[in-house]
Amino acid sequence: MTQAREAIKYLLRKTFDIREGELRRAFFMQANIFLLISTLLIVKPTVNALFLSRFGAENLPGAFILVAIVAAVISTLYSRVLRKHSLDKIISGTLIFSISVLILFGILLRLNVTVGWVLYIFYIWVSIFAVLSASQFWIFANLVFNAREAKRLFGFIGAGAIAGGIFGGYLTSILAPVLGSENLVFVCALLLFICIPITRYVWKKFVLNTKTTFTRERKNQGIADHPFQLILKSRHLTYLAGITGVSVIVAKLVDYQFSDIAATYIADPDELAAFFGFWFSNLNVISLLVQLFLTRRVVGTFGVGTSLFFLPGGILLGSMILLFMPVLWAAVIIKVSDGSLKQSINKAATELLALPIPTEIKNQAKTFIDVFVDSIATGVGGLILIFLVNGMELPSRYISLMTVLLILFWVYLAVKIRQEYLRSFKLKINQSKTGSEKKEPDFSQESVIGGLKRVLENGNDSQILFVLRKIREISDERLLESVRALLSHPSPEIRTEVIRNLYYMKNHQVADEVMPFIHDSDQGVKIAAFEYLIEHRPEDIEVLMQAYLSDKDYRVRAAALVSLANETRDNASLRESFDLEGRIQARLNSLSTVVDPEEMAFRKIEILRAIGQGNIPSYYDRIEKFLYDPDPVVVKQAITSAADTNHPRFLPLIVPFIGLEPFANAAKAALVRFGPGVVDVLMALAKQPETHVEMIRAMPVVVSQIGNQKSVNFLFHLIDYEDLMVRIESLKALNTLKINFPHLKFHEKLILHKINEEVHVFQDTLAVLYAQSQKNAIDHSSAPDAEIEITEARKSLISLLERRQDGSLERIFRLLGLKYPPDDMLNIYRGLQSKQEDFRINAVEFLDNLLAAPLKKLLIPIVETAMLDTISDKAIEHLNLSIPNEYQCFQLLLEGKDTRLKLAVLHLIGLLKDAAYIPMVETMVDNTNPKIKNFAAKTLERLRGEGHL
């Protein structure tokens, strides 16, 4: 039995690259998707057959429209639920609800209750279940497996989906005539019921016990968003969404023709269900064969651009046959063309063309495209069919004419997206170019793969790095030789990226070439080489690691330890087999023997990297200890390692570092890695009075890199903060979010309200500045020497007011950048600050053309006043400002939000020694800001006289 088990493990290792400690996870997840897809491939042909037998194909268009409407509503509600509840509860709830629906429909069908609404609801539910179940599963899988494991194991897990599709369809074709369609529904309920304990076990064992809440929320980021603006802003994404939409519409037309002709030839619902089940399974088999034996050859031979035409070309051929020969086998051909090529050749080509799009944006947009674009296109397909079938009363064969027209548009989009790929890729390459390096390679006449090869062979360092990081997403082995040739590149960063690319190319072993790099001069290259060898030399792994973990060179030993920790991060079994924790303890114990300070720092850093990247909770206390190490370099690594764990215990320890140099940048980057969950923590800290202002000033930079709605809400909260720098940093961060994440919502009414507030602040500041300037001119001409101190204090106040006026103008334009394009607003503001008069005039003209009438009336006078070198009586009159007396000036400034202005006013009042100001100062003694409170108390004491407080 033991030998058989080992033989199975060896076979799985060789075939699917499943390591020790991963089999249980991979098996349960594969079983889960097998059961889900089997259920779908049983229930889908069943409900299709029942619907067609009861209503006929002419009612399918209406069903398509209902599916689109319900899908849009459900996905919107689902995104909100996903923000508030954990994924395991959502999945369990979906499964329980689905089982209940299946049992209910099974009972109704058994009772022969097949009235219209029952079958319509059943049809709609099956369509929603198809999208929702698959989406939930792959979100779940991304939590269970880290990025490295996913690249290795998703092929094995995906095989379960293919097997489920084949099994479910063939089972339907066998059982439908025997048991009857209505009884198959109970079989589906049983299959789904088995998914519940599997899901709960995997969640508890491999998510709840190993992934923090921050990790789970970070991996879900973007799933609940609707990045419509993100797609509109990118032509590349727009074409991708367009191709998806057109392909879905065409698929619905094909579905209708296939269903109509099948229902015409096969009247019995049980036989029709068996027919659908048989051909749905055949589609999975054909798709698998195409994927295994044709996809790489076709894409490799014809290139990505040409490969995009295979799917529409296949459907076009089937449509033409169906137009002239409306028989069942012709309908089968068109369905096979659509079903077999979509998930193989077409998918591989589309993935390559999406390479220039940043990964995080692509992931967010993909969710929107898969759910919303699919739903909208389904509805459009239904409307087209209603127009053709019900409106024009055309036979289904003539729908092929509409299909042909849509395919021509599809081909147009395919041509445009290839052009956009070349444009986007060239833009990215040019952004990586520096003047001193080689000019960018010309790949405009190359295929996609040819262009990538050309950059790898002739590009400069930054261009090569860009391409290496992008192609790691696809691991295309046609690029092997071009990547492999870069192993000897002089740049250690490129050598590291090359080895990381080779890591994912499974069919070509270059272990002998990588082996020497464990002695590379660069530590990053060493670690990458060890990770490659651990992955590609499993039979030698124990001997290999034992040797190098004890190497005489402490740098080699450190690289071996870090790579081992990284490779065993989520694999407790493999970690235990190498006694990783014992090895780390031994390294910690050996620190007392190190004399050389440089070696000591190096060893501490590598121990921290091993603990963080290996995510070893038993050594979290060591990370905490090193956060207060005397060596700043060690402290920075401790901050990074704390972020590697993603554990909430480290957040309160990291946050104070964001306001301290030289640790601020490391701490900010660390907090960003905690993901969306960190926004709530920062908001809670910002609301606490004892939180130091330097920390709060650094918070906007952090949240500006976390593109979700909570970031926007937090920053809007901070723009009312008392500290001026916090306010301006918050507005800058909001502008950054607006540029990088245009799908986020910026409340327009609130923006307009804030602009109005800021305009009033500008006007009040201008009035006070004018009053104080006039007062200063009088005092300066008549003040005796004893009052020089007062004059200087007033000058300081005036200088501060001038700076605040400039700051207020910037805040107005930053707020405008949340309503209009941020780059345009920033350019106008810079133009207004120019010393060249024509630049300032052009800026005002641009602003005047851009603003809506109400804002134009409000802001243009402000802008024109800001352009003046000095404040004149005419300018004050033009703005219709009333000039306050000195008491009113001070009262206005003390009621504002500016701490430094309040301190400057209190200082001036203290020098004036006028008892009339005592009531005003008394109101400041209870201020929540300790600095203002203390200064007000001293001023009050001075006004009342020493000892009379």
Side-chain angles (χ1 to χ4, degrees):
M1 183 63 75
T2 304
Q3 289 181 337
R5 189 183 297 113
E6 291 301 318
I8 292 171
K9 285 184 179 180
Y10 179 79
L11 179 64
L12 289 171
R13 167 72 200 186
K14 282 295 182 183
T15 309
F16 294 104
D17 201 11
I18 299 176
R19 294 184 191 168
E20 180 184 348
E22 294 174 343
L23 180 58
R24 187 179 299 178
R25 268 186 298 163
F27 171 76
F28 278 119
M29 291 300 287
Q30 188 191 62
N32 205 340
I33 192 66
F34 173 84
L35 292 168
L36 287 170
I37 301 300
S38 294
T39 300
L40 180 61
L41 265 292
I42 293 171
V43 74
K44 188 174 181 180
T46 300
V47 71
N48 283 2
L50 290 169
F51 187 94
L52 290 169
S53 299
R54 175 71 173 79
F55 298 113
E58 61 271 15
N59 283 291
L60 275 177
F64 290 163
I65 294 172
L66 287 174
V67 167
I69 295 170
V70 174
V73 173
I74 291 292
S75 57
T76 301
L77 294 174
Y78 179 70
S79 68
R80 293 177 183 175
V81 171
L82 199 59
R83 293 188 191 108
K84 296 178 180 178
H85 302 282
S86 64
L87 186 64
D88 68 315
K89 292 180 180 177
I90 294 172
I91 294 175
S92 295
T94 302
L95 289 171
I96 292 168
F97 177 77
S98 299
I99 292 166
S100 304
V101 169
L102 286 167
I103 293 172
L104 175 62
F105 280 124
I107 292 171
L108 290 174
L109 292 173
R110 288 285 295 170
L111 296 173
N112 213 16
V113 182
T114 56
V115 292
W117 64 268
V118 172
L119 285 178
Y120 263 101
I121 293 174
F122 196 19
Y123 186 93
I124 292 168
W125 173 81
V126 169
S127 299
I128 301 300
F129 174 76
V131 176
L132 205 58
S133 59
S135 173
Q136 285 182 343
F137 175 81
W138 290 113
I139 295 169
F140 187 27
N142 276 305
L143 279 174
V144 174
F145 302 99
N146 62 41
R148 286 174 177 266
E149 291 170 335
K151 279 187 177 287
R152 287 189 292 103
L153 300 176
F154 276 12
F156 173 74
I157 294 167
I162 295 170
I166 295 169
F167 172 79
Y170 285 146
L171 186 67
T172 304
S173 66
I174 295 168
L175 294 182
V178 178
L179 297 179
S181 301
E182 65 276 7
N183 292 316
L184 289 179
V185 177
F186 296 106
V187 175
C188 294
L190 177 62
L191 294 176
L192 279 189
F193 180 78
I194 301 171
C195 291
I196 295 176
I198 292 175
T199 300
R200 288 178 176 172
Y201 171 79
V202 173
W203 180 270
K204 183 178 180 181
K205 183 78 174 176
F206 303 112
V207 178
L208 200 60
N209 293 343
T210 59
K211 308 291 191 301
T212 69
T213 53
F214 289 101
T215 303
R216 298 199 291 270
E217 189 171 353
R218 190 184 71 244
K219 289 206 172 189
N220 282 346
Q221 186 180 8
I223 293 166
D225 293 330
H226 300 164
F228 183 64
Q229 292 297 325
L230 204 63
I231 293 171
L232 287 183
K233 190 176 180 182
S234 165
R235 281 190 293 179
H236 205 139
L237 282 172
T238 301
Y239 290 138
L240 275 177
I243 286 177
T244 300
V246 173
S247 68
V248 170
I249 295 171
V250 169
K252 292 305 171 188
L253 301 186
V254 169
D255 276 348
Y256 175 82
Q257 289 180 293
F258 179 66
S259 300
D260 182 43
I261 293 173
T264 302
Y265 279 83
I266 305 169
D268 184 83
D270 293 338
E271 290 183 12
L272 188 58
F275 173 81
F276 284 146
F278 176 75
W279 277 106
F280 286 163
S281 285
N282 287 347
L283 291 176
N284 279 282
V285 172
I286 296 168
S287 181
L288 176 62
L289 293 174
V290 171
Q291 179 66 23
L292 291 175
F293 301 110
L294 289 179
T295 297
R296 289 211 176 271
R297 288 183 175 87
V298 169
V299 177
T301 303
F302 295 98
V304 177
T306 306
S307 301
L308 280 175
F309 302 127
F310 272 73
L311 176 57
I315 298 173
L316 179 63
L317 177 63
S319 296
M320 297 305 294
I321 294 172
L322 196 62
L323 181 62
F324 296 105
M325 288 182 287
V327 292
L328 189 57
W329 65 265
V332 169
I333 287 176
I334 192 173
K335 185 66 177 175
V336 167
S337 299
D338 179 54
S340 61
L341 297 176
K342 183 177 290 182
Q343 297 301 321
S344 52
I345 293 172
N346 194 71
K347 184 179 179 181
T350 304
E351 284 179 352
L352 271 172
L353 283 173
L355 271 183
I357 302 170
T359 305
E360 64 278 6
I361 292 177
K362 185 164 52 182
N363 290 342
Q364 287 184 328
K366 185 180 183 301
T367 305
F368 180 86
I369 291 170
D370 288 348
V371 177
F372 279 88
V373 173
D374 190 287
S375 299
I376 293 166
T378 298
V380 171
L383 290 171
I384 290 172
L385 285 169
I386 286 176
F387 172 72
L388 295 177
V389 176
N390 298 338
M392 300 184 68
E393 298 183 352
L394 293 176
S396 64
R397 61 187 290 188
Y398 291 109
I399 291 171
S400 295
L401 294 173
M402 177 58 73
T403 303
V404 170
L405 292 176
L406 287 169
I407 286 173
L408 292 175
F409 182 54
W410 188 341
V411 169
Y412 167 77
L413 290 175
V415 171
K416 296 299 289 184
I417 197 172
R418 187 182 183 279
Q419 294 172 351
E420 188 60 28
Y421 163 85
L422 292 171
R423 191 195 71 81
S424 300
F425 197 70
K426 187 172 182 179
L427 180 64
K428 295 290 184 183
I429 290 296
N430 285 339
Q431 286 174 350
S432 302
K433 188 184 75 165
T434 62
S436 60
E437 294 180 300
K438 291 180 283 186
K439 106 181 211 187
E440 74 277 5
D442 179 14
F443 55 87
S444 59
Q445 300 304 315
E446 297 278 358
S447 67
V448 172
I449 293 296
L452 295 171
K453 287 181 178 178
R454 183 69 66 88
V455 175
L456 292 174
E457 292 164 6
N458 300 313
N460 61 46
D461 287 6
S462 53
Q463 292 167 353
I464 292 170
L465 278 172
F466 167 75
V467 171
L468 285 172
R469 287 167 181 157
K470 296 307 293 183
I471 63 176
R472 212 186 328 155
E473 298 173 23
I474 55 170
S475 302
D476 196 307
E477 292 178 7
R478 288 170 294 166
L479 296 166
L480 173 68
E481 292 307 318
S482 297
V483 173
R484 192 176 183 173
L486 292 168
L487 277 170
S488 58
H489 198 280
S491 166
E493 197 173 0
I494 287 178
R495 294 199 299 275
T496 301
E497 283 299 326
V498 166
I499 297 171
R500 286 174 178 166
N501 268 270
L502 294 172
Y503 178 98
Y504 294 111
M505 295 185 180
K506 301 297 180 187
N507 298 330
H508 300 274
Q509 297 292 326
V510 291
D512 291 339
E513 294 177 51
V514 172
M515 181 75 77
F517 288 96
I518 59 179
H519 296 288
D520 194 273
S521 58
D522 182 79
Q523 199 67 9
V525 176
K526 286 190 183 80
I527 293 170
F530 273 116
E531 289 172 354
Y532 179 92
L533 295 171
I534 292 171
E535 170 65 20
H536 291 267
R537 294 275 294 270
E539 64 281 357
D540 303 330
I541 186 173
E542 192 167 342
V543 175
L544 183 78
M545 295 310 294
Q546 292 290 353
Y548 288 109
L549 285 166
S550 306
D551 195 89
K552 62 181 181 179
D553 186 342
Y554 69 88
R555 296 178 183 273
V556 173
R557 294 198 302 270
L561 183 71
V562 172
S563 60
L564 183 62
N566 198 22
E567 288 295 300
T568 60
R569 179 180 177 90
D570 293 317
N571 192 331
S573 176
L574 198 58
R575 183 188 299 170
E576 288 172 11
S577 69
F578 279 100
D579 188 25
L580 182 62
E581 293 184 35
R583 293 181 185 279
I584 290 174
Q585 186 59 54
R587 301 292 173 91
L588 286 165
N589 294 339
S590 69
L591 288 177
S592 59
T593 64
V594 179
V595 178
D596 179 32
E598 184 180 342
E599 182 180 344
M600 173 65 82
F602 182 90
R603 289 195 179 200
K604 286 179 179 179
I605 287 169
E606 296 308 304
I607 290 170
L608 281 166
R609 291 182 71 180
I611 296 170
Q613 292 179 31
N615 192 22
I616 306 172
S618 57
Y619 286 103
Y620 283 176
D621 61 324
R622 293 291 180 166
I623 295 178
E624 289 188 18
K625 180 181 178 182
F626 284 127
L627 281 170
Y628 306 102
D629 194 88
D631 189 335
V633 178
V634 174
V635 174
K636 287 179 187 178
Q637 182 58 55
I639 292 169
T640 301
S641 295
D644 285 336
T645 69
N646 236 223
H647 199 282
R649 71 183 279 179
F650 291 111
L651 271 175
L653 303 176
I654 294 174
V655 171
F657 286 103
I658 64 176
L660 298 174
E661 292 294 344
F663 312 113
N665 290 336
K668 290 173 188 175
L671 290 175
V672 170
R673 291 173 60 189
F674 276 88
V678 80
V679 179
D680 294 327
V681 175
L682 294 177
M683 183 176 285
L685 281 170
K687 289 179 179 178
Q688 295 175 7
E690 62 271 20
T691 303
H692 198 277
V693 70
E694 291 295 332
M695 287 170 53
I696 301 175
R697 286 174 180 173
M699 289 179 183
V701 176
V702 175
V703 298
S704 70
Q705 298 176 63
I706 301 172
N708 72 350
Q709 199 60 42
K710 284 194 291 188
S711 298
V712 175
N713 299 339
F714 175 44
L715 290 169
F716 267 112
H717 169 75
L718 285 186
I719 60 176
D720 283 329
Y721 197 78
E722 190 173 39
D723 183 76
L724 187 67
M725 191 174 292
V726 171
R727 299 210 299 274
I728 193 63
E729 288 300 320
S730 300
L731 285 169
K732 287 178 180 178
L734 281 167
N735 286 164
T736 301
L737 284 173
K738 177 79 171 178
I739 292 168
N740 295 334
F741 306 98
H743 64 284
L744 296 176
K745 296 177 182 177
F746 296 82
H747 310 290
E748 189 163 330
K749 286 185 179 178
L750 183 58
I751 293 167
L752 293 173
H753 175 69
K754 293 296 178 186
I755 290 173
N756 270 294
E757 275 189 0
E758 206 58 61
V759 166
H760 287 307
V761 169
F762 182 92
Q763 290 173 336
D764 289 344
T765 304
L766 185 64
V768 172
L769 179 58
Y770 180 79
Q772 290 298 306
S773 298
Q774 295 292 99
K775 179 68 174 172
N776 182 62
I778 295 169
D779 289 351
H780 187 71
S781 61
S782 60
D785 292 343
E787 296 183 2
I788 289 176
E789 195 175 3
I790 294 174
T791 304
E792 291 302 317
R794 197 181 301 281
K795 284 181 180 178
S796 296
L797 177 61
I798 290 169
S799 177
L800 191 57
L801 285 167
E802 288 172 341
R803 292 198 298 273
R804 293 308 185 251
Q805 190 182 22
D806 290 339
S808 182
L809 189 65
E810 182 181 356
R811 291 194 297 276
I812 288 171
F813 276 92
R814 293 282 180 185
L815 285 164
L816 285 171
L818 303 179
K819 179 174 171 59
Y820 298 96
D823 291 336
D824 287 348
M825 288 298 114
L826 195 56
N827 287 333
I828 291 171
Y829 174 71
R830 287 170 180 161
L832 293 173
Q833 302 299 305
S834 174
K835 293 182 180 180
Q836 298 184 36
E837 186 178 355
D838 56 337
F839 279 18
R840 298 200 299 272
I841 293 171
N842 288 338
V844 174
E845 184 66 25
F846 186 18
L847 184 67
D848 187 61
N849 291 326
L850 203 59
L851 294 180
L855 280 175
K856 189 184 299 186
K857 184 178 179 182
L858 180 69
L859 294 174
I860 294 298
I862 294 290
V863 170
E864 289 174 341
T865 303
M867 292 170 60
L868 300 174
D869 293 328
T870 58
I871 309 169
S872 63
D873 294 338
K874 188 176 180 180
I876 295 296
E877 184 181 343
H878 179 62
L879 289 174
N880 196 27
L881 297 180
S882 59
I883 305 304
N885 58 38
E886 185 145 75
Y887 189 94
Q888 291 171 329
C889 284
F890 294 163
Q891 190 171 37
L892 201 62
L893 295 177
L894 289 176
E895 288 172 353
K897 297 177 181 178
D898 195 313
T899 300
R900 287 190 64 187
L901 276 176
K902 290 179 182 180
L903 294 174
V905 169
L906 289 171
H907 174 62
L908 181 54
I909 288 174
L911 293 175
L912 291 172
K913 299 179 183 179
D914 188 341
Y917 294 114
I918 289 177
M920 186 188 297
V921 177
E922 283 178 335
T923 63
M924 306 307 296
V925 174
D926 296 324
N927 196 280
T928 54
N929 187 319
K931 190 180 288 187
I932 294 173
K933 183 176 181 178
N934 293 334
F935 207 92
K938 291 178 181 177
T939 303
L940 195 61
E941 183 177 340
R942 191 168 185 178
L943 291 175
R944 289 175 172 172
E946 201 75 18
H948 294 85
L949 188 63

